[in-house]
Amino acid sequence: MNIHNGHVNGRRWEWIGNNAVKEQASKWMALPFKTRNTVLSPSKLDWVSGSWLSSWETTVPQNQKMHFWRHETKPGCYWLLSGEDENIDDITDEDWDRRCALKAKILVDCWPNKPGDIAKAIGITVKQLLWFLNGQMALPETEREDLSKLLGIEASARFVDYDAIGPCVLIAEGPKKCSIAYEELSNGGDLEYSVEVLPEKGTPDPSWRYVVFSAYGRLPNIFMFQRGSKTTDQLGGKLLMNYQGERKVPASIYRDVVSTCAQCSTHPLLNRKLMTEFGERYKHFFQEMGTKFYT
């Protein structure tokens, strides 16, 4: 519609060399303009499968609930989603607990500190933490918010859910856990960069490999891979979405990566604090690295 209006208001049809087309366009423009009193809302429309669907959409199982969702930041943009149309006013505290627990478990599974240390940092027992992560009990609102802040998850502005925003240091404990946490922090693979850093001069860390990655508009995260592990052996394959491979960086930056990861691993509350400071120091450096890769 916006493109159409631009052509009409700019009278681009007058630029056409065909006089017959110009004449017809002029007659059409002379017709009286009629406004529509009622506007159909896509969110109220039913839908029917047909040729208008793309090839992958036609494979969606039939006879299931579907609804239109209005994009929050793109006016006039609607997505067709499966499931019931959730009203945020209908979401209970139990629903928020469950959604928070699902995202928290993904990060705790790869956090460089033990669950007991994380629990102690927010003033609960390890049993309470594990029961919460497994959906067996709720946490008081204050402790739930403290856990969310510690891990770097927050209520989503787009869906009734939580988003993992980082920044943080994680350890690749297993291929599946690593892949899931990476996908969460990379916003489904929507990355500015994802590289294993190596020093331009000198010898790399003999114990760990370091992958620095960032979703668009966010500070970098670091995934630590233990050399010789089965997870690390899969690093060059399909383990990490849109992974760009090895990149050499100045030795001073490489040493900072190693040092920051070591310090983040000493206490749960230091992780995001130190990674935020690291990100502010090198955000533009890694952004430029990602730009060079894609160009």
Side-chain angles (χ1 to χ4, degrees):
M1 178 62 74
N2 291 334
I3 295 174
H4 170 75
N5 289 340
H7 280 277
V8 172
N9 295 332
R11 303 183 71 83
R12 295 187 183 183
W13 45 273
E14 293 183 339
W15 304 352
I16 300 174
N18 191 317
N19 290 329
V21 173
K22 286 184 181 180
E23 183 179 353
Q24 290 182 1
S26 297
K27 291 180 179 179
W28 184 84
M29 290 292 292
L31 294 173
F33 181 77
K34 293 183 179 180
T35 59
R36 186 185 182 95
N37 295 326
T38 59
V39 179
L40 292 176
S41 172
S43 62
K44 303 300 182 183
L45 293 177
D46 197 359
W47 72 284
V48 178
S49 177
S51 58
W52 60 278
L53 292 172
S54 62
S55 58
W56 68 266
E57 287 171 318
T58 58
T59 63
V60 175
Q62 299 296 311
N63 303 320
Q64 64 171 320
K65 293 287 186 179
M66 305 287 287
H67 67 276
F68 283 98
W69 176 78
R70 181 175 61 82
H71 200 288
E72 298 291 342
T73 59
K74 297 180 180 179
C77 178
Y78 289 83
W79 292 353
L80 181 61
L81 305 179
S82 61
E84 295 283 355
D85 188 2
E86 291 183 314
N87 185 340
I88 193 169
D89 295 329
D90 297 332
I91 303 302
T92 65
D93 288 339
E94 289 76 14
D95 292 324
W96 282 114
D97 265 324
R98 179 170 55 83
R99 286 162 167 77
C100 180
L102 288 172
K103 293 299 172 70
K105 188 177 188 308
I106 290 172
L107 296 178
V108 170
D109 282 345
C110 297
W111 209 256
N113 310 106
K114 296 180 180 179
D117 297 326
I118 297 173
K120 185 178 180 180
I122 62 173
I124 62 175
T125 67
V126 64
K127 186 176 292 185
Q128 285 177 300
L129 175 62
L130 296 178
W131 281 352
F132 172 72
L133 297 178
N134 293 324
Q136 295 174 284
M137 69 166 287
L139 283 180
E141 184 177 356
T142 299
E143 282 72 16
R144 188 180 71 189
E145 290 181 354
D146 288 344
L147 178 63
S148 299
K149 184 177 180 180
L150 185 152
L151 298 174
I153 58 176
E154 62 180 26
S156 174
R158 301 170 297 166
F159 306 106
V160 184
D161 202 353
Y162 279 82
D163 291 331
I165 60 171
C168 59
V169 170
L170 298 177
I171 293 179
E173 293 288 357
K176 185 175 181 180
K177 292 178 180 179
C178 168
S179 180
I180 293 174
Y182 175 85
E183 185 173 346
E184 287 291 337
L185 285 167
S186 66
N187 201 16
D190 186 19
L191 291 152
E192 281 193 282
Y193 51 85
S194 177
V195 298
E196 178 189 353
V197 294
L198 295 172
E200 288 179 342
K201 296 181 180 179
T203 305
D205 186 333
S207 301
W208 297 94
R209 295 169 66 178
Y210 303 89
V211 173
V212 184
F213 66 97
S214 173
Y216 276 96
R218 294 180 182 170
L219 294 175
N221 305 279
I222 302 176
F223 236 124
M224 299 172 61
F225 288 82
Q226 190 169 20
R227 294 186 184 276
S229 70
K230 293 182 179 180
T231 305
T232 305
D233 291 341
Q234 299 181 37
L235 185 54
K238 298 181 180 180
L239 180 65
L240 304 180
M241 190 183 305
N242 294 330
Y243 170 63
Q244 300 164 352
E246 298 176 350
R247 292 291 183 278
K248 290 190 175 182
V249 300
S252 59
I253 295 180
Y254 182 81
R255 288 195 298 269
D256 204 345
V257 169
V258 176
S259 174
T260 298
C261 288
Q263 293 179 68
C264 286
S265 301
T266 60
H267 194 282
L269 293 177
L270 289 178
N271 198 325
R272 294 191 65 227
K273 176 182 181 297
L274 296 179
M275 274 304 296
T276 298
E277 295 172 358
F278 174 88
E280 295 296 344
R281 289 196 295 273
Y282 302 117
K283 180 179 180 180
H284 296 300
F285 174 85
F286 285 107
Q287 282 177 336
E288 290 179 3
M289 178 182 291
T291 301
K292 290 178 182 178
F293 177 86
Y294 286 115
T295 56

